[in-house]
Amino acid sequence: MTRLTTADVGALTDRLREFEAGLKEVTGLGLRELAMNTVAHPPVCVPLYGARVAAVPVTSGEGVIGGFSDCVVAILAHLGCEAWVTAQPDVRGIQEAHDEAAEVVFLADDFRFIALNTGNGRCVDDDPATADGYVTALEAAAGSLLGRYVLLLGLGPVGRAAARRLVSRGAAVEVVEPDQARLQAALDVGLKVQPVTLAEGLARCDLIVDATPAAGFIDVAEVSPLTVAAVPGLPSAFTPAAQAALGVRHIHEPLAIGVAVMVARALV
Ligand code: 2YC
Ligand code: MG
């Protein structure tokens, strides 16, 4: 996933309620319900209220992103967890989390973002959690994915997880992946996806999952009142004009759905 900036996470922290209102309008689900529907179908109640969860800043590599851990905690608190950012980063932060009886610890370096349940050893990765949460949102918005054509842009870690989840929910997945090696690797592991050109995919699919790091290559002329776009990462493949035309049907934010599914999977 693209490395977030302080501006990205600050904007999300400020607009969390607004995002959730839009999510509810287009999917009928709030963040808690979306997470529980992703963890199990039919949904199970996950003990989020009062769950003690610590976010530990990690200084390795490119270092701490100002506001990243605070944003994770804001999302967790919004879900009803007792969440906090540890006073110290790295190993001292993990120790503090343990000493303060955290059930789940969130940690992100330059390569991985995980939620670790120190009680049961469960370790949840953000890429599949994010992909699965966004597919749940798309399915709720569409009513069902059974037999529906879905255009998937990109077969990186999030795209591959989304492809698996879309196929498992009955979708006919058409994928645009310019990297032939990535495409072949996905087909070689038996991923049931149909390679298409962007034009072919846009012509046939009203449901779109954007899992590419490329920005602004789908314009307003290529979206319709039937289009629903699940956009789990930054930047969006949709131009600002296309995003405006889609409104709440452009489901897009950099952390909230991923964190909600991560903590639900860590605690279920
Ligand atoms: O503040 C910190 O602890 C930093 N070490 C966090 C670095 C996160 C880098 N990863 C990302 O920005 C994206 C996010 C969506 C999470 C995964 N990739
Ligand atoms: Mg990741």
Side-chain angles (χ1 to χ4, degrees):
M1 296 296 283
T2 313
R3 183 178 172 84
L4 299 179
T5 66
T6 298
D8 295 331
V9 294
L12 176 59
T13 303
D14 292 344
R15 65 178 286 264
L16 203 48
R17 290 190 185 289
E18 178 199 335
F19 168 72
E20 185 174 46
L23 184 69
K24 268 190 183 156
E25 187 180 332
V26 71
T27 70
L29 302 172
L31 275 172
R32 290 168 54 82
E33 297 86 352
L34 185 147
M36 293 180 193
N37 272 279
T38 304
V39 161
H41 222 71
V44 294
C45 184
V46 177
L48 293 171
Y49 273 123
R52 292 183 61 76
V53 185
V56 180
V58 175
T59 61
S60 66
E62 293 190 48
V64 166
I65 299 173
F68 178 83
S69 293
D70 300 295
C71 185
V72 171
V73 163
I75 296 160
L76 292 166
H78 182 78
L79 295 167
C81 302
E82 284 290 326
W84 75 99
V85 179
T86 56
Q88 296 297 333
D90 307 323
V91 179
R92 287 174 298 169
I94 295 170
Q95 185 178 45
E96 176 196 321
H98 174 75
D99 293 348
E100 300 297 323
E103 298 167 67
V104 180
V105 179
F106 275 74
L107 298 149
D109 65 12
D110 296 348
F111 307 99
R112 289 281 185 282
F113 178 31
I114 63 168
L116 184 62
N117 183 322
T118 47
N120 64 18
R122 193 166 299 153
C123 184
V124 184
D125 184 278
D126 87 301
D127 289 333
T130 300
D132 295 352
Y134 268 86
V135 170
T136 299
L138 194 70
E139 181 171 13
S144 165
L145 292 178
L146 272 175
R148 294 292 299 271
Y149 283 109
V150 178
L151 175 59
L152 172 61
L153 305 174
L155 281 177
V158 173
R160 279 197 301 277
R164 283 193 295 272
R165 186 79 172 195
L166 286 163
V167 170
S168 76
R169 303 301 299 163
V173 182
E174 306 210 328
V175 64
V176 177
E177 172 49 76
D179 181 325
Q180 285 311 305
R182 263 188 176 178
L183 181 58
Q184 197 53 52
L187 296 171
D188 288 350
V189 296
L191 215 43
K192 296 281 175 286
V193 295
Q194 173 64 40
V196 293
T197 65
L198 181 62
E200 287 165 346
L202 287 171
R204 186 177 297 161
C205 306
D206 295 324
L207 304 178
I208 301 171
V209 176
D210 167 24
T212 65
F217 59 90
I218 301 177
D219 205 353
V220 62
E222 286 140 330
V223 299
S224 85
L226 296 175
T227 305
V228 181
V231 186
L234 286 174
S236 172
F238 297 85
T239 61
Q243 293 183 39
L246 288 168
V248 291
R249 289 179 286 118
H250 182 255
I251 302 168
H252 177 52
E253 50 70 43
L255 269 184
I257 286 179
V259 166
V261 175
M262 288 168 78
V263 72
R265 280 187 171 160
L267 286 170
V268 71

